[in-house]
Short mmCIF file of all heavy atoms in Angstrom, two decimals:
data_model
loop_
_atom_site.label_atom_id
_atom_site.label_comp_id
_atom_site.label_asym_id
_atom_site.label_seq_id
_atom_site.Cartn_x
_atom_site.Cartn_y
_atom_site.Cartn_z
N GLU A 1 0.83 -1.21 0.00
CA GLU A 1 0.00 0.00 0.00
C GLU A 1 0.87 1.26 0.00
O GLU A 1 0.56 2.24 -0.68
CB GLU A 1 -0.93 -0.01 1.22
CG GLU A 1 -2.02 -1.07 1.14
CD GLU A 1 -2.87 -1.09 2.40
OE1 GLU A 1 -2.58 -0.28 3.31
OE2 GLU A 1 -3.81 -1.91 2.47
N TRP A 2 1.94 1.24 0.78
CA TRP A 2 2.83 2.40 0.82
C TRP A 2 3.52 2.62 -0.54
O TRP A 2 3.66 3.75 -1.00
CB TRP A 2 3.87 2.22 1.91
CG TRP A 2 4.98 3.23 1.83
CD1 TRP A 2 6.27 3.02 1.45
CD2 TRP A 2 4.88 4.63 2.13
NE1 TRP A 2 6.98 4.18 1.48
CE2 TRP A 2 6.16 5.19 1.91
CE3 TRP A 2 3.84 5.45 2.56
CZ2 TRP A 2 6.42 6.53 2.09
CZ3 TRP A 2 4.11 6.81 2.75
CH2 TRP A 2 5.38 7.34 2.52
N ASP A 3 3.93 1.53 -1.18
CA ASP A 3 4.57 1.64 -2.49
C ASP A 3 3.59 2.20 -3.51
O ASP A 3 3.96 3.07 -4.33
CB ASP A 3 5.08 0.27 -2.93
CG ASP A 3 5.94 0.36 -4.18
OD1 ASP A 3 6.95 1.09 -4.17
OD2 ASP A 3 5.61 -0.31 -5.17
N ASN A 4 2.35 1.73 -3.49
CA ASN A 4 1.34 2.25 -4.40
C ASN A 4 1.06 3.73 -4.12
O ASN A 4 0.89 4.53 -5.06
CB ASN A 4 0.05 1.45 -4.29
CG ASN A 4 0.21 0.03 -4.80
OD1 ASN A 4 1.06 -0.24 -5.64
ND2 ASN A 4 -0.59 -0.88 -4.28
N PHE A 5 0.99 4.08 -2.84
CA PHE A 5 0.75 5.48 -2.49
C PHE A 5 1.90 6.37 -2.96
O PHE A 5 1.69 7.47 -3.48
CB PHE A 5 0.59 5.60 -0.97
CG PHE A 5 0.54 7.02 -0.47
CD1 PHE A 5 -0.60 7.79 -0.63
CD2 PHE A 5 1.65 7.59 0.13
CE1 PHE A 5 -0.64 9.11 -0.18
CE2 PHE A 5 1.62 8.90 0.59
CZ PHE A 5 0.48 9.66 0.42
N ARG A 6 3.13 5.87 -2.82
CA ARG A 6 4.30 6.65 -3.25
C ARG A 6 4.29 6.86 -4.77
O ARG A 6 4.54 7.97 -5.25
CB ARG A 6 5.58 5.93 -2.82
CG ARG A 6 6.86 6.66 -3.18
CD ARG A 6 8.06 5.89 -2.66
NE ARG A 6 8.07 4.54 -3.16
CZ ARG A 6 8.54 4.21 -4.38
NH1 ARG A 6 9.00 5.16 -5.19
NH2 ARG A 6 8.53 2.96 -4.78
N LYS A 7 3.99 5.80 -5.52
CA LYS A 7 3.94 5.92 -6.97
C LYS A 7 2.80 6.85 -7.41
O LYS A 7 2.96 7.66 -8.32
CB LYS A 7 3.76 4.54 -7.61
CG LYS A 7 4.97 3.63 -7.44
CD LYS A 7 4.72 2.28 -8.07
CE LYS A 7 5.92 1.37 -7.91
NZ LYS A 7 5.69 0.02 -8.50
N ARG A 8 1.64 6.69 -6.75
CA ARG A 8 0.50 7.54 -7.11
C ARG A 8 0.78 9.00 -6.80
O ARG A 8 0.43 9.90 -7.58
CB ARG A 8 -0.74 7.05 -6.35
CG ARG A 8 -2.01 7.78 -6.75
CD ARG A 8 -3.23 7.09 -6.18
NE ARG A 8 -3.19 6.99 -4.73
CZ ARG A 8 -2.96 5.86 -4.06
NH1 ARG A 8 -2.74 4.74 -4.70
NH2 ARG A 8 -2.96 5.86 -2.74
N SER A 9 1.45 9.25 -5.68
CA SER A 9 1.80 10.63 -5.32
C SER A 9 2.78 11.22 -6.34
O SER A 9 2.66 12.40 -6.72
CB SER A 9 2.40 10.67 -3.92
OG SER A 9 1.48 10.21 -2.96
N ALA A 10 3.75 10.41 -6.78
CA ALA A 10 4.71 10.89 -7.77
C ALA A 10 4.02 11.20 -9.09
O ALA A 10 4.31 12.23 -9.74
CB ALA A 10 5.82 9.86 -7.98
N GLN A 11 3.07 10.36 -9.49
CA GLN A 11 2.34 10.61 -10.72
C GLN A 11 1.48 11.86 -10.62
O GLN A 11 1.40 12.67 -11.56
CB GLN A 11 1.47 9.39 -11.07
CG GLN A 11 2.27 8.15 -11.46
CD GLN A 11 1.37 6.95 -11.70
OE1 GLN A 11 0.17 6.99 -11.47
NE2 GLN A 11 1.97 5.86 -12.17
N GLU A 12 0.82 12.02 -9.47
CA GLU A 12 0.00 13.22 -9.28
C GLU A 12 0.85 14.47 -9.27
O GLU A 12 0.44 15.53 -9.77
CB GLU A 12 -0.79 13.10 -7.98
CG GLU A 12 -1.87 12.02 -8.02
CD GLU A 12 -2.58 11.87 -6.69
OE1 GLU A 12 -2.14 12.54 -5.71
OE2 GLU A 12 -3.56 11.10 -6.61
N TYR A 13 2.06 14.36 -8.69
CA TYR A 13 2.96 15.52 -8.68
C TYR A 13 3.38 15.89 -10.10
O TYR A 13 3.38 17.08 -10.47
CB TYR A 13 4.17 15.20 -7.82
CG TYR A 13 5.22 16.30 -7.83
CD1 TYR A 13 5.00 17.50 -7.16
CD2 TYR A 13 6.43 16.12 -8.49
CE1 TYR A 13 5.97 18.51 -7.17
CE2 TYR A 13 7.40 17.11 -8.50
CZ TYR A 13 7.16 18.30 -7.85
OH TYR A 13 8.10 19.29 -7.87
N GLU A 14 3.73 14.88 -10.89
CA GLU A 14 4.12 15.16 -12.28
C GLU A 14 2.94 15.72 -13.07
O GLU A 14 3.10 16.63 -13.89
CB GLU A 14 4.64 13.89 -12.94
CG GLU A 14 5.96 13.39 -12.37
CD GLU A 14 7.09 14.36 -12.60
OE1 GLU A 14 7.05 15.08 -13.62
OE2 GLU A 14 8.02 14.41 -11.77
N SER A 15 1.75 15.18 -12.83
CA SER A 15 0.57 15.68 -13.54
C SER A 15 0.27 17.13 -13.16
O SER A 15 -0.12 17.94 -14.01
CB SER A 15 -0.65 14.80 -13.22
OG SER A 15 -0.44 13.47 -13.65
N SER A 16 0.46 17.46 -11.88
CA SER A 16 0.23 18.83 -11.45
C SER A 16 1.23 19.79 -12.09
O SER A 16 0.88 20.92 -12.45
CB SER A 16 0.30 18.93 -9.92
OG SER A 16 1.60 18.60 -9.46
N LYS A 17 2.47 19.33 -12.25
CA LYS A 17 3.47 20.16 -12.92
C LYS A 17 3.09 20.39 -14.38
O LYS A 17 3.24 21.50 -14.92
CB LYS A 17 4.85 19.49 -12.84
CG LYS A 17 5.49 19.54 -11.47
CD LYS A 17 6.74 18.70 -11.41
CE LYS A 17 7.75 19.14 -12.44
NZ LYS A 17 8.99 18.32 -12.36
N ILE A 18 2.59 19.33 -15.01
CA ILE A 18 2.19 19.45 -16.42
C ILE A 18 1.00 20.40 -16.56
O ILE A 18 0.97 21.26 -17.45
CB ILE A 18 1.85 18.07 -17.00
CG1 ILE A 18 3.13 17.22 -17.08
CG2 ILE A 18 1.21 18.19 -18.37
CD1 ILE A 18 2.88 15.78 -17.48
N ARG A 19 0.02 20.26 -15.66
CA ARG A 19 -1.15 21.15 -15.74
C ARG A 19 -0.76 22.60 -15.47
O ARG A 19 -1.35 23.53 -16.03
CB ARG A 19 -2.21 20.69 -14.74
CG ARG A 19 -2.91 19.41 -15.13
CD ARG A 19 -4.14 19.18 -14.28
NE ARG A 19 -3.80 19.02 -12.88
CZ ARG A 19 -3.53 17.85 -12.28
NH1 ARG A 19 -3.57 16.74 -13.00
NH2 ARG A 19 -3.25 17.78 -11.00
N ALA A 20 0.24 22.79 -14.61
CA ALA A 20 0.67 24.16 -14.30
C ALA A 20 1.30 24.84 -15.51
O ALA A 20 1.16 26.05 -15.70
CB ALA A 20 1.65 24.15 -13.13
N THR A 21 1.99 24.07 -16.34
CA THR A 21 2.65 24.65 -17.53
C THR A 21 1.80 24.53 -18.80
O THR A 21 2.18 25.08 -19.83
CB THR A 21 3.99 23.94 -17.77
OG1 THR A 21 3.77 22.53 -17.94
CG2 THR A 21 4.94 24.16 -16.60
N GLU A 22 0.70 23.82 -18.71
CA GLU A 22 -0.12 23.61 -19.90
C GLU A 22 -0.67 24.92 -20.46
O GLU A 22 -0.68 25.13 -21.68
CB GLU A 22 -1.28 22.65 -19.56
CG GLU A 22 -2.13 22.29 -20.77
CD GLU A 22 -3.20 21.27 -20.41
OE1 GLU A 22 -3.07 20.61 -19.36
OE2 GLU A 22 -4.15 21.14 -21.20
N LYS A 23 -1.11 25.80 -19.59
CA LYS A 23 -1.65 27.08 -20.06
C LYS A 23 -0.59 27.89 -20.78
O LYS A 23 -0.86 28.55 -21.79
CB LYS A 23 -2.22 27.86 -18.87
CG LYS A 23 -3.39 27.18 -18.18
CD LYS A 23 -4.56 26.99 -19.12
CE LYS A 23 -5.74 26.35 -18.42
NZ LYS A 23 -6.88 26.12 -19.37
N LEU A 24 0.63 27.87 -20.23
CA LEU A 24 1.72 28.61 -20.88
C LEU A 24 2.03 28.02 -22.25
O LEU A 24 2.23 28.77 -23.23
CB LEU A 24 2.96 28.57 -19.99
CG LEU A 24 4.23 29.21 -20.58
CD1 LEU A 24 4.00 30.69 -20.87
CD2 LEU A 24 5.41 29.02 -19.63
N ILE A 25 2.06 26.69 -22.36
CA ILE A 25 2.34 26.05 -23.64
C ILE A 25 1.24 26.37 -24.65
O ILE A 25 1.52 26.67 -25.83
CB ILE A 25 2.47 24.53 -23.46
CG1 ILE A 25 3.62 24.21 -22.50
CG2 ILE A 25 2.70 23.85 -24.79
CD1 ILE A 25 4.96 24.71 -22.94
N GLU A 26 -0.01 26.34 -24.22
CA GLU A 26 -1.12 26.66 -25.13
C GLU A 26 -1.00 28.09 -25.64
O GLU A 26 -1.36 28.38 -26.79
CB GLU A 26 -2.45 26.45 -24.41
CG GLU A 26 -2.78 24.97 -24.16
CD GLU A 26 -4.10 24.82 -23.41
OE1 GLU A 26 -4.63 25.85 -22.93
OE2 GLU A 26 -4.60 23.69 -23.31
N ALA A 27 -0.51 29.00 -24.79
CA ALA A 27 -0.34 30.39 -25.22
C ALA A 27 0.80 30.53 -26.23
O ALA A 27 0.79 31.45 -27.07
CB ALA A 27 -0.10 31.29 -24.01
N LEU A 28 1.80 29.64 -26.16
CA LEU A 28 2.94 29.71 -27.07
C LEU A 28 2.68 29.00 -28.40
O LEU A 28 3.41 29.26 -29.38
CB LEU A 28 4.18 29.11 -26.41
CG LEU A 28 4.79 29.90 -25.25
CD1 LEU A 28 5.93 29.11 -24.62
CD2 LEU A 28 5.27 31.26 -25.72
N LEU A 29 1.71 28.14 -28.47
CA LEU A 29 1.46 27.39 -29.70
C LEU A 29 1.14 28.30 -30.89
O LEU A 29 1.65 28.07 -32.00
CB LEU A 29 0.34 26.37 -29.49
CG LEU A 29 0.66 25.21 -28.54
CD1 LEU A 29 -0.51 24.24 -28.48
CD2 LEU A 29 1.93 24.49 -28.94
N PRO A 30 0.31 29.33 -30.75
CA PRO A 30 0.09 30.23 -31.89
C PRO A 30 1.36 30.93 -32.38
O PRO A 30 1.51 31.18 -33.58
CB PRO A 30 -0.92 31.25 -31.35
CG PRO A 30 -1.63 30.53 -30.26
CD PRO A 30 -0.60 29.67 -29.64
N VAL A 31 2.28 31.21 -31.45
CA VAL A 31 3.56 31.82 -31.86
C VAL A 31 4.35 30.84 -32.72
O VAL A 31 4.94 31.22 -33.75
CB VAL A 31 4.37 32.24 -30.62
CG1 VAL A 31 5.71 32.82 -31.02
CG2 VAL A 31 3.57 33.22 -29.77
N ILE A 32 4.37 29.57 -32.31
CA ILE A 32 5.06 28.55 -33.11
C ILE A 32 4.41 28.42 -34.48
O ILE A 32 5.09 28.30 -35.51
CB ILE A 32 5.06 27.21 -32.35
CG1 ILE A 32 5.83 27.33 -31.04
CG2 ILE A 32 5.65 26.11 -33.21
CD1 ILE A 32 5.78 26.09 -30.17
N ASP A 33 3.07 28.44 -34.51
CA ASP A 33 2.37 28.36 -35.79
C ASP A 33 2.73 29.53 -36.70
O ASP A 33 2.94 29.35 -37.92
CB ASP A 33 0.85 28.34 -35.56
CG ASP A 33 0.40 27.09 -34.80
OD1 ASP A 33 1.12 26.07 -34.85
OD2 ASP A 33 -0.67 27.13 -34.16
N ASP A 34 2.81 30.73 -36.16
CA ASP A 34 3.15 31.90 -36.98
C ASP A 34 4.57 31.81 -37.53
O ASP A 34 4.82 32.17 -38.70
CB ASP A 34 3.00 33.18 -36.14
CG ASP A 34 1.55 33.48 -35.80
OD1 ASP A 34 0.66 32.94 -36.50
OD2 ASP A 34 1.31 34.22 -34.83
N LEU A 35 5.49 31.32 -36.75
CA LEU A 35 6.85 31.14 -37.24
C LEU A 35 6.90 30.13 -38.37
O LEU A 35 7.61 30.32 -39.38
CB LEU A 35 7.77 30.70 -36.10
CG LEU A 35 8.03 31.73 -34.99
CD1 LEU A 35 8.86 31.09 -33.86
CD2 LEU A 35 8.76 32.95 -35.53
N GLU A 36 6.15 29.05 -38.24
CA GLU A 36 6.11 28.05 -39.30
C GLU A 36 5.46 28.62 -40.57
O GLU A 36 5.95 28.36 -41.69
CB GLU A 36 5.34 26.81 -38.82
CG GLU A 36 6.05 26.03 -37.73
CD GLU A 36 5.23 24.86 -37.22
OE1 GLU A 36 4.02 24.78 -37.59
OE2 GLU A 36 5.76 24.03 -36.44
N ARG A 37 4.41 29.36 -40.44
CA ARG A 37 3.75 29.94 -41.61
C ARG A 37 4.66 30.97 -42.30
O ARG A 37 4.70 31.06 -43.53
CB ARG A 37 2.43 30.60 -41.20
CG ARG A 37 1.37 29.62 -40.70
CD ARG A 37 0.03 30.31 -40.55
NE ARG A 37 -0.95 29.45 -39.91
CZ ARG A 37 -1.28 29.53 -38.62
NH1 ARG A 37 -0.70 30.44 -37.83
NH2 ARG A 37 -2.18 28.71 -38.11
N ALA A 38 5.38 31.76 -41.48
CA ALA A 38 6.28 32.76 -42.07
C ALA A 38 7.38 32.09 -42.88
O ALA A 38 7.71 32.53 -44.00
CB ALA A 38 6.87 33.64 -40.97
N CYS A 39 7.96 31.05 -42.34
CA CYS A 39 9.02 30.34 -43.06
C CYS A 39 8.47 29.67 -44.33
O CYS A 39 9.12 29.71 -45.39
CB CYS A 39 9.64 29.29 -42.16
SG CYS A 39 10.54 29.96 -40.74
N GLN A 40 7.26 29.09 -44.24
CA GLN A 40 6.66 28.44 -45.40
C GLN A 40 6.31 29.45 -46.48
O GLN A 40 6.54 29.21 -47.68
CB GLN A 40 5.41 27.66 -44.98
CG GLN A 40 4.80 26.81 -46.07
CD GLN A 40 5.73 25.70 -46.51
OE1 GLN A 40 6.41 25.10 -45.68
NE2 GLN A 40 5.77 25.42 -47.81
N ALA A 41 5.81 30.59 -46.08
CA ALA A 41 5.45 31.62 -47.07
C ALA A 41 6.70 32.17 -47.76
O ALA A 41 6.71 32.38 -48.99
CB ALA A 41 4.69 32.75 -46.38
N ALA A 42 7.75 32.42 -47.01
CA ALA A 42 8.99 32.93 -47.61
C ALA A 42 9.59 31.91 -48.57
O ALA A 42 10.11 32.27 -49.64
CB ALA A 42 9.98 33.28 -46.52
N GLU A 43 9.50 30.65 -48.25
CA GLU A 43 10.05 29.61 -49.12
C GLU A 43 9.22 29.47 -50.39
O GLU A 43 9.76 29.23 -51.48
CB GLU A 43 10.12 28.28 -48.37
CG GLU A 43 10.76 27.16 -49.17
CD GLU A 43 10.87 25.87 -48.37
OE1 GLU A 43 10.57 25.89 -47.17
OE2 GLU A 43 11.25 24.84 -48.96
N ASN A 44 7.91 29.61 -50.30
CA ASN A 44 7.06 29.46 -51.47
C ASN A 44 7.18 30.66 -52.43
O ASN A 44 7.14 30.49 -53.65
CB ASN A 44 5.59 29.30 -51.04
CG ASN A 44 5.37 27.98 -50.31
OD1 ASN A 44 6.13 27.03 -50.49
ND2 ASN A 44 4.32 27.94 -49.50
N THR A 45 7.30 31.85 -51.89
CA THR A 45 7.33 33.05 -52.74
C THR A 45 8.71 33.29 -53.35
O THR A 45 8.83 33.64 -54.53
CB THR A 45 6.92 34.28 -51.93
OG1 THR A 45 7.77 34.40 -50.77
CG2 THR A 45 5.47 34.17 -51.47
N ASN A 46 9.75 33.12 -52.60
CA ASN A 46 11.09 33.42 -53.10
C ASN A 46 12.11 32.49 -52.42
O ASN A 46 12.83 32.88 -51.51
CB ASN A 46 11.44 34.88 -52.80
CG ASN A 46 12.66 35.36 -53.56
OD1 ASN A 46 13.25 34.61 -54.33
ND2 ASN A 46 13.04 36.61 -53.35
N PRO A 47 12.19 31.24 -52.87
CA PRO A 47 13.03 30.25 -52.19
C PRO A 47 14.52 30.57 -52.26
O PRO A 47 15.26 30.22 -51.35
CB PRO A 47 12.70 28.95 -52.92
CG PRO A 47 12.18 29.36 -54.24
CD PRO A 47 11.47 30.65 -54.02
#
């Protein structure tokens, strides 16, 4: 029971860390998309 509790606590801790940074990552995704579109547009128009 203690081993299961320790593993479950570690998983919950990692999940909480992921949820804490998830909002920040979601806010950065449009920036990544814009960089990809800019590079693709420049390559298509004047490679």
Side-chain angles (χ1 to χ4, degrees):
E1 291 177 359
W2 168 252
D3 188 57
N4 293 334
F5 171 76
R6 182 178 56 82
K7 292 179 180 179
R8 186 169 58 253
S9 299
Q11 292 176 353
E12 292 177 354
Y13 175 72
E14 292 296 330
S15 299
S16 63
K17 287 172 58 179
I18 293 173
R19 288 193 298 269
T21 58
E22 184 176 342
K23 297 299 181 181
L24 176 60
I25 300 300
E26 289 179 349
L28 290 175
L29 293 183
V31 178
I32 297 175
D33 296 336
D34 291 341
L35 292 174
E36 292 177 350
R37 294 190 188 100
C39 294
Q40 187 65 38
E43 184 177 353
N44 293 336
T45 56
N46 194 1

